[in-house]
Amino acid sequence: MFSYILRKILYAVPVVWGVVTVVFILMAIVPGDPARLMMGQRGDPATLARIRADLGLDLPLHQQYFRFVGDLVRGDLGTSYRNNEKVTSALVDRFGATLRLAFWAMVVAAVIGVAAGILSAVRQYSLFDYSAMFIAISGVSAPVFWVGLLLLLIFAYGFHLIPGVGYGDGDWRYLVLPVVTLGVRPAALIARLTRSCMLEVMSQDYIRTARAKGLAEKVVVLKHAFKNALIPVVTIIGTQVAELLSGAVLTETIFAWPGVGRLAVEALVARDFPMIRGTVIFMAVIFLVANLIVDLSYGIIDPRIRYD
Amino acid sequence: MTAEKKPKTSGASLRYEAWLRFRRNRLAMAGLVMAVTVILGAIFASSLAPYDPFKQLIWTEGRAVRLAAPSAEHIMGTDLYGRDILSRVLFGARISLQIGIFATVVSLFIGVPLGALAGYRGGFTDDFISWIINVIFAFPFFLFVLAVVAVFQNPSMSVVYVAIGLVNWVAIARVVRAQFISLRDREFVEAARALGLPTWRIIFIHILPNALAPVIVQATLGMGSIIMIEAGLAFLGFGAQPPTPSWGLMISEGQKYLGLGKWWWAIFPGMAITYTVLAFNFLGDGLRDALDVRLKR
């Protein structure tokens, strides 16, 4: 087990290095001078030169690269052009809000998705099945920002059930709409996958055996069938983390949610390159970590999987 | 698996069999019909649209036509500048399909050769290409495209679809690579090799036609996600710029008026996006079943 974890982590190293390099190249080919961007029209040539020297922009590109990677290894992602805030501290400040949003979105999506998927499979071709699957496929096809606006229109502006946008100092009522908005897509995917996996498992011989020996249908469905249908579902939860982070960019923008996604958009609008670099690398690393955790959890769900 | 395993019949009848399977699938047919309506709407937008999508009708119809609610004259209402929303939604189909098609073409141009090379050659070539694929997969898709587009000062539409293509090709490449790995040691490939044919000929003329089915499915499903990403970019202000009738942009412009009860400006374009993406998802799922393709999603 330990060597398996180690090997997985070692596999991730070249990928992380690739991510860092791609982001560096992307920011290096940008037209325009960051020093001028920082100072606007105010900067006199001497100040601009000093800023360039501070940022290492006067160095040849390969030296900039080594400096960038070296700083990164020491946990330094640079300083924002916009307000001189440390990129790492901005990320740490904002990550809590994103984590809270994404965590609850995933929980809601998993609970609703799995429940709807099981029910649909058990009552295949019923009205419930058709409507659940119709909602699911629409949920996958509707743009997340539009779903968010629709929810705002109905529940905040229409029925005044929920306050509008904002973080509300952690008040849970402000959490509801962003969580639902972000959770719709994963819930839909999980529901569809759970349904198809359940249908596959339910036609197996051991399910017939379980029924034949007189087990209650509830036990057959939840204990015998669902446990075996769970593996693909867990896999998709892992891949959904990336989608959640992408979705968080738009969801946080609509709901004025002070997370990393909104930080990224603010940085992009201001063309604040160190901050863009930082948020993109950060999200990619989060994604890799999440997938590592999913990889490792297979062994817990499925005892047939051995790590050696 | 492709059609390979089916009883040996001619290519035309294999395709006919797939069409029969496709036609029996109600959702697939619904997807086809929906996609055709979007395509027709885009092609004939200028004759179907009741008004000029750029024309600010306040100059001809007076101020009452600003943000007018849906009515018989303006089925989807009008926006702040008195432009007819239905007309703009119809023209928006052009933008979305254009991006969808161009970005897919870019993805195919990069993804097919690289995936083929990785799968056919194996070894170091495969390791290297797979590494690139894994690196790009590690980025949240939308944020990465956003970053690529945003670094350009004045992104034109071509920047948008090249950026989407530069990220989206990895999905195509993965599928092509898996196909080539399973096909490269078949007898017909060995025969081609024994004849001394050049590698590019073996790859493109002999193997690729047998690997096409999953590529078609992946490209169709990709259309939906590309259209969604373009809408997201435009919504944030990084895609199409005003006064382009882009669906994402219309939602972005209309969102400020949602709270004032003027819902139509933002809601109808969103329905158009959902309808279009739904069409390509149904179509892709239907093609996958009809062509008997197994794909990881």
Side-chain angles (χ1 to χ4, degrees):
Chain A
M1 179 76 183
F2 181 72
S3 75
Y4 178 82
I5 297 176
L6 198 68
R7 210 167 60 224
K8 276 281 171 191
I9 293 174
L10 285 179
Y11 276 142
V13 170
V15 176
V16 172
W17 175 59
V19 165
V20 168
T21 307
V22 167
V23 172
F24 177 82
I25 293 170
L26 192 62
M27 296 295 129
I29 58 168
V30 171
D33 177 4
R36 187 152 288 290
L37 220 77
M38 274 174 85
M39 295 303 295
Q41 294 308 316
R42 291 171 288 150
D44 56 286
T47 326
L48 289 177
R50 208 195 59 234
I51 291 169
R52 277 189 211 112
D54 276 356
L55 296 172
L57 292 169
D58 50 350
L59 299 172
L61 214 53
H62 67 277
Q63 283 187 34
Q64 284 189 41
Y65 176 70
F66 289 128
R67 189 170 143 161
F68 173 58
V69 175
D71 285 349
L72 204 63
V73 171
R74 285 194 301 274
D76 182 3
L77 279 164
T79 313
S80 161
Y81 289 169
R82 197 161 40 122
N83 50 15
N84 280 322
E85 196 183 3
K86 277 276 178 204
V87 173
T88 36
S89 66
L91 285 170
V92 170
D93 279 352
R94 301 288 202 102
F95 185 53
T98 299
L99 193 65
R100 184 160 166 248
L101 176 62
F103 172 79
W104 287 112
M106 207 64 237
V107 169
V108 169
V111 170
I112 294 178
V114 164
I118 292 179
L119 269 175
S120 279
V122 172
R123 306 206 183 121
Q124 199 185 359
Y125 304 132
S126 68
L127 183 64
F128 177 86
D129 183 24
Y130 281 122
S131 25
M133 286 308 115
F134 180 76
I135 295 172
I137 196 151
S138 313
V140 179
S141 306
V144 63
F145 54 96
W146 184 70
V147 171
L149 292 177
L150 206 58
L151 291 170
L152 265 177
L153 177 68
I154 297 170
F155 295 104
Y157 305 143
F159 293 112
H160 301 285
L161 287 176
I162 274 171
V165 299
Y167 192 65
D169 285 328
D171 183 346
W172 67 268
R173 284 176 307 166
Y174 284 87
L175 188 64
V176 177
L177 288 187
V179 161
V180 174
T181 303
L182 193 56
V184 165
R185 203 180 149 78
L189 287 169
I190 291 171
R192 292 178 71 191
L193 190 72
T194 306
R195 177 179 180 272
S196 65
C197 292
M198 281 296 285
L199 286 175
E200 208 174 304
V201 172
M202 293 287 280
S203 63
Q204 305 270 317
D205 286 342
Y206 68 85
I207 296 296
R208 200 179 45 207
T209 310
R211 280 191 181 132
K213 71 182 183 186
L215 289 179
E217 188 64 20
K218 211 169 85 186
V219 180
V220 175
V221 170
L222 292 181
K223 263 200 144 159
H224 293 239
F226 178 61
K227 264 194 175 172
N228 286 290
L230 197 60
I231 295 164
V233 176
V234 171
T235 310
I236 204 170
I237 289 178
T239 59
Q240 281 307 298
V241 172
E243 291 247 1
L244 272 186
L245 294 174
S246 284
V249 174
L250 286 161
T251 309
E252 289 177 0
T253 305
I254 295 168
F255 289 100
W257 195 260
V260 178
R262 190 152 156 255
L263 184 68
V265 173
E266 286 165 5
L268 285 162
V269 171
R271 299 170 63 78
D272 181 357
F273 297 127
M275 196 62 92
I276 300 175
R277 226 156 48 178
T279 46
V280 173
I281 292 175
F282 181 75
M283 286 206 178
V285 170
I286 296 286
F287 169 70
L288 289 170
V289 171
N291 273 302
L292 191 64
I293 294 171
V294 169
D295 268 355
L296 297 177
S297 66
Y298 289 149
I300 300 164
I301 303 161
D302 189 350
R304 286 172 304 187
I305 296 173
R306 288 271 160 271
Y307 301 110
D308 37 38
Chain B
M1 288 297 109
T2 54
E4 274 306 295
K5 283 220 174 125
K6 294 276 147 34
K8 286 274 171 261
T9 40
S10 74
S13 77
L14 273 181
R15 236 169 278 155
Y16 185 65
E17 258 179 52
W19 165 243
L20 285 183
R21 273 196 300 273
F22 186 87
R23 221 176 50 182
R24 271 199 301 272
N25 184 342
R26 255 188 268 165
L27 284 184
M29 285 308 283
L32 183 64
V33 171
M34 288 163 73
V36 168
T37 55
V38 176
I39 293 166
L40 290 180
I43 294 174
F44 298 109
S46 39
S47 23
L48 286 171
Y51 297 88
D52 177 344
F54 298 101
K55 191 167 183 196
Q56 307 192 354
L57 300 169
I58 37 172
W59 306 113
T60 49
E61 298 186 18
R63 299 187 70 81
V65 83
R66 284 173 50 153
L67 279 172
S71 63
E73 291 88 64
H74 302 285
I75 296 169
M76 293 185 182
T78 61
D79 66 14
L80 184 66
Y81 310 102
R83 295 175 299 197
D84 182 59
I85 291 176
L86 172 62
S87 307
R88 292 181 69 73
V89 166
L90 279 168
F91 275 86
R94 284 192 178 173
I95 311 284
S96 283
L97 287 183
Q98 199 182 321
I99 294 281
I101 291 165
F102 284 145
T104 303
V105 169
V106 174
S107 327
L108 288 172
F109 263 105
I110 309 174
V112 170
L114 285 182
L117 210 58
Y120 185 74
R121 280 276 169 77
F124 175 75
T125 315
D126 185 21
D127 289 342
F128 182 69
I129 295 173
S130 295
W131 172 66
I132 298 176
I133 293 177
N134 285 333
V135 166
I136 295 184
F137 253 108
F139 290 102
F141 192 165
F142 181 68
L143 183 61
F144 191 46
V145 176
L146 197 58
V148 174
V149 173
V151 298
F152 289 88
Q153 213 111 41
N154 295 305
S156 63
M157 289 312 260
S158 49
V159 169
V160 174
Y161 62 70
V162 169
I164 296 176
L166 279 178
V167 186
N168 191 53
W169 68 269
V170 292
I172 304 274
R174 259 193 181 178
V175 171
V176 175
R177 174 178 170 271
Q179 283 293 305
F180 270 70
I181 287 175
S182 75
L183 292 172
R184 70 175 171 213
D185 295 324
R186 294 284 183 83
E187 286 88 345
F188 73 92
V189 180
E190 263 171 47
R193 235 173 290 165
L195 284 171
L197 296 181
T199 308
W200 68 267
R201 240 192 112 81
I202 300 176
I203 288 182
F204 287 105
I205 313 276
H206 291 262
I207 307 183
L208 193 59
N210 293 290
L212 271 188
V215 179
I216 294 169
V217 174
Q218 184 63 48
T220 312
L221 292 169
M223 280 285 285
S225 55
I226 290 170
I227 288 171
M228 199 109 92
I229 282 171
E230 189 275 329
L233 291 175
F235 178 75
L236 292 178
F238 292 103
Q241 298 298 318
T244 315
S246 146
W247 291 336
L249 188 61
M250 292 168 76
I251 298 176
S252 153
E253 292 168 331
Q255 67 166 329
K256 292 166 243 134
Y257 299 91
L258 274 179
L260 304 171
K262 318 275 188 197
W263 51 271
W264 48 91
W265 195 357
I267 297 305
F268 286 120
M271 285 180 179
I273 299 171
T274 310
Y275 180 83
T276 309
V277 176
L278 202 59
F280 284 106
N281 283 346
F282 281 153
L283 198 59
D285 282 347
L287 283 173
R288 171 171 47 202
D289 295 341
L291 298 170
D292 196 15
V293 177
R294 290 202 131 236
L295 277 185
K296 270 197 340 196
R297 275 195 89 180

